[in-house]
Amino acid sequence: LFDEQIVYIANHADDRVLFYDRAFAPLVERLKPQFTSIEHYVCFDPAPGEPGFESLIATEDGHYRWVEGGERDPCMLCYTSGTTGNPKGVLYEHRSTMIHAMAEVAPWVFDLSNRAVVMPIVPMFHAAAWGLPFAAALSGCKLVYSALNDAKLLCDLMNGEQVTHSAGVPTVWLAMFKQI
């Protein structure tokens, strides 16, 4: 995404917390003055001695009260890439997300079980990685992620982690086939 699209998305969604990897710290610092609603910035992997995600959760005591909500309540907001204007937000409900996850677990779809190892190559910002993270949690299977979309790295990771299920767009698979 272009800087303007990132700023648009964060401001349009009224985001209040931004979680990011240290690799994106220069981008975050550059865009901070343009964000209108973000109050907290949390780095997942800060430099040694800097506060981040681990220090944030270290303050918790382990007692969590689950929030009750309706099945039609929103659970996530994903945005398009904005190829024809500003990005458009798609608001998902808990109900549709769970129904989709249950369908993916079915034998005639992905046939996920607690013995499966799933590696969604399609990113979370793209239709929530086609719902695979939720189906993986529902079935209790192992979930494998890669920080980079590099054909050799993905192939090595799939072999090393013994991935049984994956999903990605055709360009991902074409790049992997060129590695063979």
Side-chain angles (χ1 to χ4, degrees):
L1 296 174
F2 296 109
D3 287 6
E4 300 79 31
Q5 293 172 318
I6 296 169
V7 170
Y8 174 84
I9 290 170
N11 292 342
H12 182 261
D14 285 331
D15 289 336
R16 296 184 321 185
V17 180
L18 176 64
F19 292 92
Y20 63 96
D21 292 322
R22 183 173 24 160
F24 294 103
L27 174 69
V28 171
E29 289 301 318
R30 185 172 71 243
L31 299 182
K32 265 185 186 181
Q34 299 176 62
F35 293 136
T36 59
S37 57
I38 297 177
E39 302 167 5
H40 307 283
Y41 296 85
V42 181
C43 184
F44 280 116
D45 57 341
E50 292 182 10
F53 182 73
E54 293 297 329
S55 60
L56 175 70
I57 63 173
T59 62
E60 298 300 318
D61 63 6
H63 299 285
Y64 179 79
R65 189 175 142 252
W66 288 99
V67 177
E68 295 290 328
E71 65 179 11
R72 300 260 182 211
D73 286 350
C75 68
M76 68 182 149
L77 180 60
C78 291
Y79 280 82
T80 65
S81 61
T83 54
T84 58
N86 284 329
K88 283 108 181 129
V90 177
L91 188 62
Y92 293 83
E93 297 176 346
H94 287 279
R95 178 184 171 85
S96 65
T97 302
M98 286 304 302
I99 290 171
H100 188 262
M102 288 187 283
E104 284 187 310
V105 172
W108 55 88
V109 182
F110 273 102
D111 194 23
L112 297 182
S113 72
N114 63 347
R115 294 178 306 279
V117 180
V118 177
M119 187 170 93
I121 298 172
V122 62
M124 281 295 290
F125 65 78
H126 186 75
W130 296 345
L132 279 172
F134 304 107
L138 181 67
S139 65
C141 68
K142 180 179 176 179
L143 199 51
V144 177
Y145 283 104
S146 172
L148 299 173
N149 187 355
D150 173 76
K152 182 172 179 359
L153 175 71
L154 293 173
C155 192
D156 290 346
L157 193 57
M158 289 178 118
N159 288 321
E161 295 294 329
Q162 298 179 332
V163 171
T164 59
H165 297 73
S166 188
V169 295
T171 53
V172 168
W173 306 123
L174 291 172
M176 289 183 80
F177 290 148
K178 288 180 183 177
Q179 291 293 315
I180 300 174

